[in-house]
Amino acid sequence: MSTPEEEPVGASRSERLSALAQQHGALVTLVVAVIAASLSFDTFLTGDNLENMALSSAFLAVVALGMTFVIITGGIDLSVGSTFALGGVLAAWGSQYGTVVALLLPLAVCGLIGLVNGLLIARSRLAPFIVTLASMLGARGILLSLTDEGSTTYLVDKDSFFAKLGQDTLLGIGVPVWITVALFVLGAVALRRTRFGQYVYAVGGNEDAAALMGTPVARTKISVYTLSGLCAGLAGALNAAWLVSGVTILGSGMELEAISAVVIGGTLLTGGFGFLSGSLVGVLLLKVIQNVINQIGSLDSAYQQVVSGAFLAVVVIAQTWLGRRRRAL
Amino acid sequence: MTDLTLGRATADRDRLLRLLQEYGVYLGVVVLLLLNIVFTSHFLSAENFRTQAVQVAPVLIVALGMALAIGSEGVDLSVGSVMALSTSLLSLYLGYGVWIAVLAAVAGGIMVGVANGALIAFVGVQPIVATLALMVAGRGLALVLLPQLKDVHNPAMAELGSGDVLGVPYLVLIAAALALLIAFVVRRTTFGRQLLALGDSRPAARLAGLPVRRVLILVYVCSGVLAAIAGVLATARLTASDPTSLGTLMELSAITAVVVGGTPLSGGRVRIGGTVAGAVLIQLLTTTLIKHDLPPSWTQIAQAVVIVLAVYAARERGKR
């Protein structure tokens, strides 16, 4: 239950520095990356480029929001890439029956997948990674059978309200970005100011102790996986509204991006410690790096994969080292 | 008296359940075989068995490495990318001769294995995260080396892919030999015993003075090498290097084979016979669905269900 506000008062200086690095390292890196990118490329700080980055960050950020809750409880959700894609296809198909169906259908189905994940993990005590690995496979299977093995693409009517939800702007900023910001504010309040948030930290901190203190461990776990499914489904739906179609090949590797963003943002994979603002910074940092790689141009997507893999490794090493330092001191 | 007989009855039921969990995978294979022999046309032919066996060989080889990783209470998600890396390296070095090319491919597997092992053993990163990083980076590296599909025209590779000894394809022979080798390593070598000990309890292994780090690195190197060999064999069979799609979802099939075969995810035990049967079971399941005109997507759903059922069964066993 070590939330940042609860740092011991008498902490030594180097301990505090470690803690600071863990919490704000991503933010500092982001600022440095943005400054370096805007000095190197004239095209970086243009309205178009920023708008594009904000939008593509928004969808990943919503997925990372759910993932943060899951990781703080000490779990992991590998199914989000598949449920994201499934959500998009369901939304595009449902959009012919109106916006309500286009939004509710993916939320219902993806939420159900999350609920099943949670039930299997919490009630049957199966390993989170294997359960969500299975549902990653299952959700992709459902997606493929819905789209005639991926050959059918459902389109969204460009003039429908649902399409506007993905494409319109408010005060010059895309609606999906506003939705994402609102969700993060809600999520942060839920995590910091509600009993549910306390339960999430407690379960991740020490499950047995939490159970002894009367924390509803199983219910909390089921809730976070359901939340993760809902977030992935909603992100997929918004993405479909933006692209005006449900693209079947999306979402592969997204679970890794989301996990990376959360970890880069300072949330510990071992659970019990983390924060949503960090995940948002993590998403932005990943997108800025991707953008820079794209701007260099000569580096293709293959290098992009090498760089993101190496980056994740470096961050995890740094985090493990900082974490160990803090515990040792 | 009644208590005694009752106790014996529950004990019998327990033993039956345990037997079923232990050997259920073999039973599953037999049932699927029988069902296919009765209901699938053209199933019972030498040609078909050959095809099935050749298809299962690479999955089985990868699963052997995965069994070691899982036995050490870890997991290796990078195996599919190692296959891609191996096929890229193979294509790049084929000009220097087949042996050099195979060595290069295996060296790629060793490299990834060392990186995985070092992250896990020295830095203390969770296996799932360490190998996830290598999964992304490895696939990227494979694509950097060989950006697109390339045909492999090499008589030796073609012979390896489609040749046989007395009607048994080389691929099947190699897979069988590797399965025997790994079974021997697990049961009869010091490394095997140390691996099981540290999968059982890392702190106890450390207290007992086992070289935990060395064993862990060796486990992931083995997994990398086996995946690289699978990549070479798959390339030989397809007579092409395709770093974009070779090995995708392979980590899943391998984990399924291992888990269905009765190796617990919590480590400490490795069942090679079960892993072989598990790989065959997945292959038969896929064939059954496809031969009865069900779309490929159903295979994924079926595989997902089988994974969950197998892990669920293993959980009961663990509790007892």
Side-chain angles (χ1 to χ4, degrees), chain A residues 120 124 126 129-130 133-134 137-138 140-142 144-145 149 256 259 269 302-303 305-306 309 312 316-317 320 324, chain B residues 75 119 123 125-126 128-129 132-133 136 140-141 143-144 252 255 295-297 300-301 303-304 307-308 311-312 315:
Chain A
L120 285 169
S124 306
L126 304 185
F129 97 88
I130 201 94
L133 206 60
L137 200 65
R140 183 69 64 181
I142 296 171
L144 286 175
S145 59
E149 304 304 309
L256 178 84
I259 295 168
L269 271 165
Y303 283 100
Q305 285 181 311
V306 179
L312 176 65
V316 172
I317 291 171
T320 313
R324 199 178 287 162
Chain B
V75 75
L119 279 174
V123 188
V125 178
Q126 285 155 294
I128 176 172
V129 182
L132 203 59
V136 185
L141 203 57
L143 287 167
V144 168
L252 263 168
I255 294 173
S297 54
Q300 297 195 9
I301 300 173
Q303 202 178 325
I307 298 181
V308 172
V311 181
Y312 192 81
R315 173 200 75 119

Side-chain angles (χ1 to χ4, degrees), chain A:
Chain A
M1 278 264 275
S2 56
T3 56
E5 293 99 343
E6 291 164 14
E7 278 308 321
V9 187
S12 78
R13 192 175 167 165
S14 73
E15 189 180 352
R16 269 192 317 235
L17 273 180
S18 293
L20 272 178
Q22 203 168 2
Q23 282 167 36
H24 303 296
L27 190 59
V28 174
T29 318
L30 177 65
V31 171
V32 172
V34 167
I35 293 173
S38 26
L39 289 179
S40 319
F41 307 101
D42 297 335
T43 42
F44 185 80
L45 273 187
T46 57
D48 270 359
N49 193 42
L50 290 181
E51 200 181 312
N52 238 326
M53 270 201 291
L55 268 175
S56 63
S57 302
F59 310 115
L60 178 61
V62 174
V63 176
L65 171 78
M67 185 72 83
T68 311
F69 279 84
V70 170
I71 292 184
I72 293 177
T73 62
I76 201 146
D77 189 350
L78 299 179
S79 69
V80 289
S82 294
T83 37
F84 174 81
L86 179 62
V89 168
L90 287 171
W93 178 81
S95 68
Q96 55 184 318
Y97 302 106
T99 306
V100 176
V101 179
L103 283 176
L104 282 188
L105 187 64
L107 282 179
V109 175
C110 299
L112 189 67
I113 292 174
L115 178 68
V116 172
N117 281 340
L119 283 171
L120 285 169
I121 292 163
R123 296 263 178 240
S124 306
R125 302 187 143 270
L126 304 185
F129 97 88
I130 201 94
V131 170
T132 56
L133 206 60
S135 55
M136 161 185 169
L137 200 65
R140 183 69 64 181
I142 296 171
L143 161 77
L144 286 175
S145 59
L146 281 179
T147 57
D148 304 315
E149 304 304 309
S151 61
T152 306
T153 305
Y154 297 107
L155 296 178
V156 177
D157 179 11
K158 276 201 177 63
D159 300 319
S160 65
F161 179 74
F162 179 62
K164 290 199 168 65
L165 209 56
Q167 305 205 306
D168 271 10
T169 56
L170 198 69
L171 304 173
I173 294 169
V175 173
V177 179
W178 285 111
I179 296 177
T180 306
V181 170
L183 287 175
F184 264 83
V185 171
L186 272 178
V189 171
L191 199 53
R192 285 272 173 248
R193 298 274 175 263
T194 66
R195 182 161 294 169
F196 170 66
Q198 288 180 351
Y199 290 159
V200 169
Y201 280 109
V203 168
N206 185 334
E207 202 178 312
D208 297 330
L212 285 174
M213 289 191 305
T215 307
V217 174
R219 212 176 65 206
T220 307
K221 282 189 179 178
I222 295 169
S223 308
V224 294
Y225 287 96
T226 311
L227 181 71
S228 178
L230 287 171
C231 284
L234 179 66
L238 290 174
N239 190 261
W242 182 49
L243 297 172
V244 287
S245 64
V247 182
T248 52
I249 54 162
L250 285 178
S252 64
M254 198 181 204
E255 59 286 338
L256 178 84
E257 274 190 293
I259 295 168
S260 305
V262 173
V263 173
I264 290 167
T267 297
L268 286 184
L269 271 165
T270 39
F273 178 86
F275 25 75
L276 276 177
S277 54
S279 302
L280 196 56
V281 172
V283 168
L284 292 174
L285 185 56
L286 281 180
K287 289 293 170 184
V288 168
I289 290 172
Q290 275 175 18
N291 194 267
V292 168
I293 291 173
N294 286 336
Q295 301 243 5
I296 295 171
S298 61
L299 284 170
D300 54 9
S301 64
Y303 283 100
Q304 204 167 308
Q305 285 181 311
V306 179
V307 172
S308 16
F311 191 64
L312 176 65
V314 169
V315 168
V316 172
I317 291 171
Q319 210 199 48
T320 313
W321 183 71
L322 288 171
R324 199 178 287 162
R325 245 174 90 82
R326 289 184 66 197
R327 228 162 296 142
L329 282 164

